[in-house]
Amino acid sequence: MVQFQQSDLLKKLPKQFFASLVAKVSNVVAQGHDVINLGQGNPDQPTPPHIVEALKKASDNVDYHKYSPFRGQKFLKEAVVTFYEREYGVKLDAEKEVAILFGGKAGLVEVPQCLLNPGDTVLVPDPGYPDYWSGVELARTKMEIMPLRAENNFLPDYEEISEDVKEKAKLMFLNYPNNPTGAVATKEFFDDTISFAREHDVCVVHDFAYGAIGFDSQKPISFLEAEGAKDVGIEIYTFSKTFNMAGWRIAFAVGNESVIEAINLLQDHLYVSIFSAVQEAAVALLSSQECVTDLNALYESRRNVFINGLQEIGWKVEAPAGSFFAWLPVPEGYTSQQFSDLLLEEAKVVVAPGNGFGEYGEGYVRVGLLTEEHRLQEAVERIKALQLFNV
């Protein structure tokens, strides 16, 4: 059999850091151990039943068995417009300011290819979602990191960016509530971001994947709520996290019409469109937020159980303000990788080492609150047994 060589582009793609974590975990499970996996970001709850029923019913529509409209069904885009005005007070044009995406990841990876040329500069948060790096590499652009530090509430400090980088930058990724830190943004921060973007002609791409998940009665704000946001950027909203629909692969981008048109144009060449029955089911869930309220309460309860438990055993950790992740400092004397390996080998608890999210993730591990409370409590007990902390 002829072994064809991969392209130089594929060879330059960043390695999938978490593939090695999955392999390690699979090996331990294969040995017969009971592993508590807190290392992934895959929602553990099912899609709400009424959404599944809407899909089943819509699947009987024979018109949906044909090609869908290239740029998505009008009824879904109109539902997105209604959703954003109801939830965030943001007015959108369904045809010019909404793009239907094949999952949030697809949109995030596509945007650099839509707007940039080889050698252009992209500002990327560190630590951050690793697939931002994939989009940067696929567009053959250059990445400059924006450190996220605890002392600045895991928000980038634009004053830290050198004048040279500011002038070269053409695109910026942001993500609040944040993966992996669980931090949330303020309106003042978004106002500063818009001022920065205007001054330096930078397009802002706000990844709002965890937009519905905020704690302590604080609803996360949309980037588009800030005045002038649509002038300088877009927001990407996925159904995966908010509605437990990770396997459905549907999301949308909203905001600046020139960016939306660029996304639509690229997708015209990559795809036809998402199965219309899935789009119709998505309309059903955008009309009601009751299931979202229940899910948010579930994650907050899990957060409280887990974080309180860790604090009781002497681990000095902070509770996340949003998302379904907790960002925990590793004990003195360990790297992120060493500590995550220790927890897997000795406690059979899986966490994601922070260095997998970038240079500034070193010294932390990420935990997903994506299992039942009794399993989170058991994870705390297993960690306690390692006697790493002083109560």
Side-chain angles (χ1 to χ4, degrees):
M1 183 173 63
V2 177
Q3 295 293 321
F4 295 100
Q5 292 294 311
Q6 294 181 351
S7 67
D8 289 342
L9 178 61
L10 288 185
K11 290 177 182 177
K12 290 181 179 179
L13 287 175
K15 292 183 179 180
Q16 285 291 346
F17 179 87
F18 294 98
S20 61
L21 177 62
V22 170
K24 287 181 180 179
V25 174
S26 298
N27 183 52
V28 175
V29 171
Q31 295 172 18
H33 296 290
D34 174 32
V35 171
I36 302 175
N37 194 340
L38 308 179
Q40 297 178 309
N42 196 4
D44 66 308
Q45 297 296 297
T47 303
H50 71 287
I51 306 306
V52 177
E53 288 304 314
L55 173 67
K56 291 177 181 178
K57 183 178 179 180
S59 296
D60 289 332
N61 186 338
V62 294
D63 287 338
Y64 292 169
H65 300 175
K66 305 173 184 178
Y67 288 124
S68 305
F70 268 77
R71 299 190 173 191
Q73 290 284 5
K74 182 178 180 180
F75 57 70
L76 177 54
K77 290 188 280 188
E78 289 177 342
V80 169
V81 169
T82 300
F83 171 74
Y84 254 72
E85 184 165 10
R86 183 188 73 232
E87 295 298 318
Y88 305 110
V90 174
K91 295 183 181 297
L92 296 165
D93 183 306
E95 289 305 311
K96 295 181 179 179
E97 297 177 334
V98 182
I100 306 303
L101 305 173
F102 289 69
K105 172 179 175 175
L108 293 164
V109 172
E110 288 167 0
V111 169
Q113 299 171 73
C114 293
L115 300 179
L116 306 182
N117 296 312
D120 285 345
T121 296
V122 183
L123 297 172
V124 178
D126 184 340
Y129 179 48
D131 280 316
Y132 302 147
W133 314 339
S134 303
V136 170
E137 194 59 53
L138 284 168
R140 302 186 182 187
T141 52
K142 180 181 179 183
M143 182 170 72
E144 293 285 351
I145 65 171
M146 300 184 295
L148 307 185
R149 299 186 177 91
E151 56 266 31
N152 200 45
N153 299 313
F154 296 109
L155 301 169
D157 182 353
Y158 298 131
E159 295 300 317
E160 280 192 356
I161 302 172
S162 72
E163 291 302 319
D164 180 58
V165 170
K166 286 178 183 177
E167 294 310 311
K168 290 180 179 178
K170 294 189 176 180
L171 186 71
M172 173 199 296
F173 285 109
L174 292 175
N175 165 222
Y176 294 98
N178 184 256
N179 173 17
T181 70
V184 297
T186 62
K187 185 176 181 298
E188 291 73 22
F189 169 73
F190 282 148
D191 288 340
D192 290 343
T193 299
I194 292 166
S195 296
F196 176 88
R198 284 186 189 279
E199 181 178 355
H200 300 286
D201 196 22
V202 172
C203 176
V204 178
V205 178
H206 183 235
D207 176 5
F208 205 30
Y210 305 93
I213 307 173
F215 304 133
D216 305 315
S217 301
Q218 298 299 310
K219 179 179 179 179
I221 64 172
S222 162
F223 172 62
L224 296 191
E225 288 184 77
E227 186 176 352
K230 283 197 295 184
D231 295 339
V232 298
I234 64 168
E235 186 159 79
I236 292 180
Y237 194 106
T238 176
F239 294 84
S240 295
K241 311 302 192 298
T242 305
F243 304 101
N244 299 317
M245 294 173 64
W248 295 52
R249 308 318 302 143
I250 185 165
F252 56 85
V254 289
N256 185 280
E257 64 179 73
S258 65
V259 182
I260 297 300
E261 172 58 27
I263 292 172
N264 278 327
L265 180 58
L266 178 62
Q267 293 193 149
D268 285 347
H269 291 271
L270 292 176
Y271 321 108
V272 177
S273 188
I274 295 166
F275 183 31
S276 291
V278 172
Q279 296 188 57
E280 186 170 311
V283 171
L285 57 86
L286 286 175
S287 64
S288 172
Q289 294 292 283
E290 183 178 347
C291 60
V292 179
T293 302
D294 293 342
L295 185 66
N296 204 65
L298 174 69
Y299 286 140
E300 182 161 1
S301 180
R302 289 178 177 181
R303 178 202 69 161
N304 294 342
V305 165
F306 187 66
I307 294 298
N308 290 343
L310 294 181
Q311 290 173 342
E312 286 172 3
I313 68 171
W315 193 349
K316 295 180 180 179
V317 298
E318 297 290 336
S323 83
F324 49 50
F325 296 117
W327 190 236
L328 313 175
V330 304
E332 188 175 348
Y334 292 91
T335 66
S336 294
Q337 188 66 62
Q338 289 169 342
F339 186 61
S340 64
D341 286 345
L342 175 70
L343 291 185
L344 176 59
E345 294 164 6
E346 301 297 331
K348 304 301 182 286
V349 173
V350 182
V351 297
N355 58 308
F357 301 93
E359 174 187 351
Y360 285 85
E362 179 56 61
Y364 292 86
V365 293
R366 190 195 73 177
V367 166
L369 304 170
L370 299 170
T371 191
E372 297 89 347
E373 288 185 12
H374 73 91
R375 292 290 275 174
L376 292 170
Q377 290 171 327
E378 184 177 346
V380 172
E381 290 303 313
R382 292 185 186 186
I383 295 169
K384 178 181 180 181
L386 299 179
Q387 297 182 332
L388 297 169
F389 307 100
N390 295 317
V391 180

